[in-house]
Amino acid sequence: MSEHRRKPPPPQGGGRAAARRGQSEPSSSRRAAPRGATGSPSDSYGSSSYGSDSGSGGEERPYGGRAEARRAAQRSTGNSSRRRAADNGSRGPGGPAGPGRGRGRASTAPGKKRLIDYPRANRFGWRRWVPSWKLVSGLCITFFGSLVALVGVSYAMVGVPSENTAAQSQNNVYYWADGKQMVATGTGVNRQNVNIAEIPQAMQNAVISAENKSFYTDPGVDFKGIARALVNMAQGGETQGGSTITQQFVKNTYLSQDQTLTRKFKEMFISIKVGTKFSKPQILQGYLNTSYFGRGAYGIQAAAQTYYGVDAKNLTPSQCAVLAALLKGATYYDPAGNPDIDPAASQKANYQRSHERWAWILEEMHKDQHLTDAEYQTAIKKYPMPQGRKAVKGMTGQISYLADTAKKYVLAHSNITETQFDQGGFQIYTTFQKDKVNALSTAVEKVQKARLDPKNREKDKYVQFGAASVVPNDGAIVALYGGAGYENNHFTNNADTSGVPVGSTWKPFVLAAAMQYGTYKTSPDGVSPLSKYNGNDHLKVMNEDGTAVLNKDGSTFFQNNESNYRWGYITLRKAMEQSINTPFVQLGWDVGMSKVRDVASRSGILDSSFATLNPSFALGTSTPSAIRMADAYSTFAASGKHADPYSVTEVKQDGQPLQGFSKPKVTTAMPENIANNVTDTLENVIQNGTGTNAKALGRTAAGKTGTTDSNKSAWFVGYTQQLATSVAMFRENPKDAELLSMNGTAGVASIHGGDIPTSVWTEYMESALKGKNDPGFPDATKVGEIADEAGAPSPTPTVSITPSETPTETPSATPSETATSPSPTVTETCQFAWNCSTDGGSTGGSTSGTTSSPTATETTSEGDTRGNANGGGNLFGGSTG
């Protein structure tokens, strides 16, 4: 064979030397053959490996000697962790040997560079989460750049306000319950812009000294004040004051007064822009032309005319200080008072606040050298009292009081401010029924004309009435009488004012508490209205331990009646009928005056009108309004169900309804049978007691008279199932709003609740219920146990007596309530079987023994402390009857 013959090819496996090299080399350094190249089953299923396939028959590319093997081993050691991470990431939930996984070699190529390197690559452990200085600085630059851009855009977008278009007043339209228009107010005529030259320097200086001393030097924004406001809002509180005049001008030109972050930021941007665009005199002019001074007056010119009847340019420094004080809040700094909006804004309280701030502003002007010593002494010499309120178009008669009552309700049940409300644009739908309002007004005027003569009788001067009518089990106020009208300079709403004690109309709450809770001797069992208490005059009030109640000076407290007639031990029913004081004072003390207060509160009496809890509390020293008394008695009419009184059913702004004016919920104030027993007792007051004048109504009704200490007020509160109405009568000194005695009024010795107030009530109710059916009241069933006062005689057996078909008269129902009346007889009628009993003075509708007839000087149908020299009740705030 030729020596040039070709050698046979080496074995496919690379021969023995290659095999030895393969065994000595790390498997991780060998390159894998392409998948499927060998035809091995392992190529098809892709067994995971970091080296070459180990199947037979596979072609392997050998390394170029030992040096290359070493270099490959070094490279694979550095990249092994990255390969494993990449390979594990590619396997997914199938795991290391999951189906369909390839054996291919992991890629060692670097990933794409990220825009934001976070978490940081090429860092391990906690270092991966520490941002680089490049990242931090980039974010800061981006944030502050965006903030600057936002501020710039906001500044550019906000508009600059104009005093010519700001605070434009629109109509507020009120509607009757039937949807017909009652009145439109706020026509915008009480506003007129003036130039800064027409605003006296004293007025400019007054607001600067009072509101913003740094006005001429500050940038127009109080950044510290805004920061405080923002922090306060973030903590859930309200924003604080301290705005500059520029900021207040901005607020005046935007109707929204919402305390929100958005509004505060908007106000800040606009204020900054105003400060750069307008001069300080222009800003001050805009502020004084857009500020609200109360009484519907926008701007200094309207305020000057409204309060002093002069143009703004003619205001004195002293008058300027009064007007500047109004900017703190006209409701509370108008010396005429505004109690219809808030009882705290009485004429007396407002005058004091106004006077104090007026003096302070003048002092500040003097300190700031805006007034010389001589000017200051002249200005501070005398407070310049503004003119009284004036009626505006349409606000006459009872309309003014109806609108004010509705306005007060709207402000109390929404976040609308008085300033916003007076700017108008609201439609107010009320509960007032025009026919009933007219009927109530007519009733008052008719009785006034018939009984009072203020031109010829001094004691008839200054007599006033307040009345209200409420629907039981609903709370809707359908009518009220507030006074003689704004056109007659009567600006206080007598139907919705406090300060007039209610007298013996309070006694039903004492009886209700006794029937529900019982006394300290019977609790938790209630007391029956047939329980007997001592009705004599000038009695000690006894504590639970048997000791006498003492006055503040340590002396013994005595409670008096109007007369010294000796009633003896009589039932509570009889005591209510004849309105005798002593039984109810001792009963209230035995029950606990706090429980009496709780019953009255659940019935609708406001906590703010409660008097001190002393013995006289049982006799009506509290001072709720006529509206609240009518509403509370409607609880009895509705068998213990109560709903708060309301005067507005819906409010719309620019045609869109506002939230918060749904009908009040009906609650249970007392058990049904308790209320029904009170009603039965008060029916007897009209049939046989002090309220007999109300019998002229000619239908089933219940009610109670009330007359207060020194005859300063007289009430009648009564009801049917359809309507509860209260009528108050009082005299008031117009100078200081102090109550005056009505002894001698109407030409009689004293006015009682059963006289003129009952006549007004009857006249109105007859008209208001004309054509309506007479449903009567639910029957009352036995309640509580008879629990006589300590010392009451034990009952003795009596002979059976057949009641007469008609009741005889009980003590006095004449207009004066002091005339002689025949003694009660044994023929008095039983109202229902279980309350027929005998007592020493008749149970008022029960069969009883006879008593001696009281004399003409002793008889009373309104038992209170009037004219009694021994009226110890006065030491506890005055006792009533």
Side-chain angles (χ1 to χ4, degrees):
M1 180 180 293
S2 169
E3 58 181 353
H4 299 290
R5 188 178 57 179
R6 180 179 299 174
K7 291 181 181 181
Q12 192 171 7
R16 294 181 180 178
R20 285 196 300 270
R21 286 196 300 272
Q23 290 174 358
S24 65
E25 293 170 358
S27 62
S28 61
S29 65
R30 297 201 297 269
R31 299 180 182 177
R35 184 178 301 167
T38 64
S40 169
S42 65
D43 288 333
S44 299
Y45 293 96
S47 178
S48 179
S49 174
Y50 288 95
S52 62
D53 294 339
S54 59
S56 62
E59 184 177 355
E60 186 175 277
R61 183 177 180 181
Y63 290 105
R66 294 181 180 178
E68 184 178 346
R70 284 196 300 271
R71 287 194 295 271
Q74 291 171 354
R75 287 196 299 268
S76 64
T77 300
N79 296 329
S80 60
S81 61
R82 286 195 292 273
R83 290 197 194 99
R84 284 193 296 271
D87 189 67
N88 287 338
S90 67
R91 287 179 188 145
R101 306 302 178 194
R103 285 174 174 254
R105 180 173 56 87
S107 172
T108 60
K112 294 182 179 179
K113 188 174 183 181
R114 293 181 294 174
L115 179 63
I116 299 178
D117 185 19
Y118 192 82
R120 300 176 67 184
N122 302 322
R123 295 290 187 273
F124 303 96
W126 60 269
R127 292 181 177 83
R128 285 172 54 81
W129 305 102
V130 177
S132 65
W133 68 268
K134 293 181 179 180
L135 178 60
V136 172
S137 60
L139 290 176
C140 289
I141 293 172
T142 302
F143 172 77
F144 287 109
S146 300
L147 186 62
V148 171
L150 178 62
V151 170
V153 171
S154 300
Y155 181 84
M157 290 182 66
V158 296
V160 176
S162 170
E163 62 191 271
N164 294 317
T165 58
Q168 292 292 337
S169 177
Q170 305 176 58
N171 284 338
N172 279 332
V173 184
Y174 296 83
Y175 297 90
W176 294 104
D178 62 5
K180 295 181 180 179
Q181 182 172 319
M182 178 196 303
V183 67
T185 65
T187 59
V189 297
N190 198 15
R191 182 177 183 273
Q192 180 182 352
N193 289 341
V194 290
N195 190 275
I196 190 68
E198 298 177 80
I199 302 174
Q201 191 63 46
M203 188 66 214
Q204 300 178 43
N205 293 334
V207 297
I208 290 173
S209 292
E211 305 284 336
N212 185 191
K213 290 180 179 291
S214 62
F215 171 68
Y216 281 109
T217 58
D218 64 39
V221 177
D222 180 7
F223 292 104
K224 290 183 179 179
I226 291 177
R228 286 194 304 268
L230 295 178
V231 171
N232 203 35
M233 279 191 290
Q235 295 174 346
E238 296 181 355
T239 56
Q240 301 173 343
S243 296
T244 65
I245 285 177
T246 305
Q247 288 175 267
Q248 293 181 54
F249 169 46
V250 170
K251 283 191 289 186
N252 289 345
T253 58
Y254 286 88
L255 300 184
S256 173
Q257 299 293 316
D258 297 336
Q259 303 295 337
T260 62
L261 290 171
T262 302
R263 202 225 71 193
K264 291 300 284 186
F265 275 117
K266 189 174 183 180
E267 172 193 315
M268 179 180 68
F269 286 127
I270 298 176
S271 298
I272 294 172
K273 199 165 188 177
V274 167
T276 59
K277 185 173 181 179
F278 292 157
S279 66
K280 291 294 185 178
Q282 287 176 312
I283 294 172
L284 189 58
Q285 172 185 303
Y287 171 62
L288 289 171
N289 276 331
T290 58
S291 292
Y292 183 62
F293 289 84
R295 301 191 193 181
Y298 290 91
I300 185 59
Q301 174 64 17
Q305 287 289 347
T306 298
Y307 288 90
Y308 291 108
V310 300
D311 289 333
K313 62 183 179 181
N314 295 323
L315 290 169
T316 67
S318 189
Q319 292 171 337
C320 290
V322 172
L323 296 182
L326 292 169
L327 296 175
K328 189 171 179 64
T331 299
Y332 303 99
Y333 287 86
D334 181 351
N338 206 345
D340 294 334
I341 299 299
D342 189 340
S346 65
Q347 183 176 0
K348 183 177 181 180
N350 275 23
Y351 173 80
Q352 182 176 351
R353 278 189 287 262
S354 177
H355 190 280
E356 290 176 355
R357 189 159 179 84
W358 161 78
W360 176 80
I361 290 174
L362 289 177
E363 184 178 0
E364 292 301 304
M365 293 172 68
H366 184 224
K367 288 180 181 178
D368 296 338
Q369 299 182 351
H370 296 315
L371 290 177
T372 65
D373 291 345
E375 290 171 336
Y376 172 69
Q377 292 301 326
T378 300
I380 201 69
K381 188 174 183 180
K382 183 181 180 182
Y383 176 85
M385 178 63 74
Q387 298 174 349
R389 292 177 178 269
K390 300 180 181 66
V392 298
K393 183 180 179 181
M395 297 288 279
T396 57
Q398 296 308 302
I399 298 296
S400 54
Y401 307 117
L402 299 176
D404 274 353
T405 300
K407 173 182 176 180
K408 183 177 180 180
Y409 188 87
V410 171
L411 297 182
H413 290 80
S414 69
N415 58 1
I416 301 170
T417 66
E418 185 182 6
T419 301
Q420 287 175 290
F421 188 89
D422 287 346
Q423 287 170 338
F426 297 96
Q427 298 86 49
I428 303 99
Y429 296 84
T430 75
T431 59
F432 304 125
Q433 299 179 19
K434 186 175 182 180
D435 59 338
K436 289 182 174 60
V437 170
N438 291 338
L440 185 53
S441 179
T442 300
V444 172
E445 292 168 1
K446 181 178 179 180
V447 174
Q448 272 184 312
K449 185 176 181 180
R451 300 294 304 276
L452 302 177
D453 186 9
K455 292 183 179 179
N456 300 309
R457 223 170 9 230
E458 182 67 25
K459 286 299 182 74
D460 289 3
K461 292 181 178 179
Y462 312 133
V463 173
Q464 299 182 33
F465 291 85
S469 195
V470 174
V471 177
N473 208 30
D474 182 270
I477 307 170
V478 295
L480 57 80
Y481 181 86
Y486 282 15
E487 68 276 19
N488 294 312
N489 295 319
H490 186 88
F491 296 96
T492 300
N493 184 355
N494 291 344
D496 196 22
T497 187
S498 60
V500 181
V502 296
S504 289
T505 58
W506 197 258
K507 289 174 182 174
F509 301 122
V510 181
L511 181 61
M515 290 191 292
Q516 181 171 353
Y517 298 109
T519 66
Y520 67 89
K521 294 183 293 185
T522 69
S523 180
D525 295 328
V527 171
S528 167
L530 297 182
S531 302
K532 295 178 182 178
Y533 272 70
N534 195 338
N536 290 337
D537 181 47
H538 198 61
L539 294 181
K540 297 178 182 178
V541 179
M542 307 302 292
N543 291 311
E544 180 179 342
D545 60 3
T547 61
V549 174
L550 302 179
N551 294 311
K552 292 181 179 179
D553 61 1
S555 61
T556 300
F557 172 78
F558 289 89
Q559 180 57 55
N560 299 309
N561 295 326
E562 184 177 26
S563 77
N564 59 3
Y565 176 70
R566 298 188 62 81
W567 289 95
Y569 284 88
I570 57 174
T571 64
L572 297 173
R573 179 181 175 87
K574 183 64 178 181
M576 184 74 76
E577 172 196 300
Q578 297 299 321
S579 199
I580 304 170
N581 288 340
T582 48
F584 284 99
V585 172
Q586 186 62 61
L587 177 66
W589 206 246
D590 291 346
V591 173
M593 293 300 180
S594 62
K595 290 184 173 65
V596 176
R597 178 193 58 198
D598 292 344
V599 168
S601 178
R602 291 197 301 271
S603 299
I605 302 300
L606 297 177
D607 292 347
S608 59
S609 62
F610 286 132
T612 304
L613 298 185
N614 55 42
S616 295
F617 182 79
L619 301 179
T621 51
S622 297
T623 59
S625 68
I627 290 176
R628 285 289 171 173
M629 283 301 289
D631 179 65
Y633 268 52
S634 75
T635 303
F636 302 137
S639 297
K641 301 295 183 181
H642 171 257
D644 282 334
Y646 67 102
S647 58
V648 176
T649 59
E650 185 179 27
V651 177
K652 294 181 179 179
Q653 185 175 23
D654 300 326
Q656 297 300 315
L658 303 181
Q659 299 297 317
F661 298 99
S662 57
K663 184 184 297 187
K665 294 182 179 179
V666 176
T667 61
T668 299
M670 64 186 70
E672 179 179 347
N673 198 39
I674 300 294
N676 292 342
N677 270 272
V678 172
T679 293
D680 181 79
T681 304
L682 298 187
E683 280 187 88
N684 185 56
V685 171
I686 291 179
Q687 292 301 315
N688 302 304
T690 60
T692 54
N693 278 342
K695 291 171 67 175
L697 179 61
R699 61 172 64 227
T700 307
K704 183 68 185 76
T705 58
T707 310
T708 59
D709 187 34
S710 301
N711 203 209
K712 291 181 178 180
S713 64
W715 289 72
F716 185 77
V717 188
Y719 55 92
T720 65
Q721 270 206 333
Q722 300 106 319
L723 216 54
T725 302
S726 65
V727 179
M729 176 183 177
F730 57 94
R731 288 183 72 213
E732 186 176 72
N733 188 331
K735 293 182 179 180
D736 55 15
E738 181 182 356
L739 293 180
L740 304 172
S741 174
M742 289 190 292
N743 289 333
T745 296
V748 297
S750 60
I751 295 294
H752 294 76
D755 185 9
I756 292 179
T758 304
S759 298
V760 172
W761 182 91
T762 306
E763 189 78 26
Y764 162 71
M765 292 289 279
E766 185 176 8
S767 176
L769 297 174
K770 188 175 182 179
K772 302 290 178 62
N773 64 339
D774 183 2
F777 294 112
D779 292 334
T781 58
K782 182 179 179 181
V783 63
E785 299 296 331
I786 295 178
D788 297 338
E789 180 186 5
S794 300
T796 57
T798 59
V799 296
S800 177
I801 302 175
T802 303
S804 66
E805 295 182 0
T806 59
T808 55
E809 293 182 352
T810 56
S812 188
T814 62
S816 67
E817 296 186 38
T818 56
T820 304
S821 62
S823 64
T825 68
V826 295
T827 59
E828 290 181 303
T829 304
C830 285
Q831 293 290 317
F832 31 74
W834 62 265
N835 74 355
C836 294
S837 64
T838 60
D839 60 69
S842 163
T843 61
S846 65
T847 304
S848 66
T850 60
T851 60
S852 59
S853 175
T855 66
T857 59
E858 293 173 335
T859 304
T860 176
S861 58
E862 189 69 21
D864 59 21
T865 61
R866 296 180 297 277
N868 195 315
N870 297 321
N874 292 346
L875 296 175
F876 276 107
S879 65
T880 57

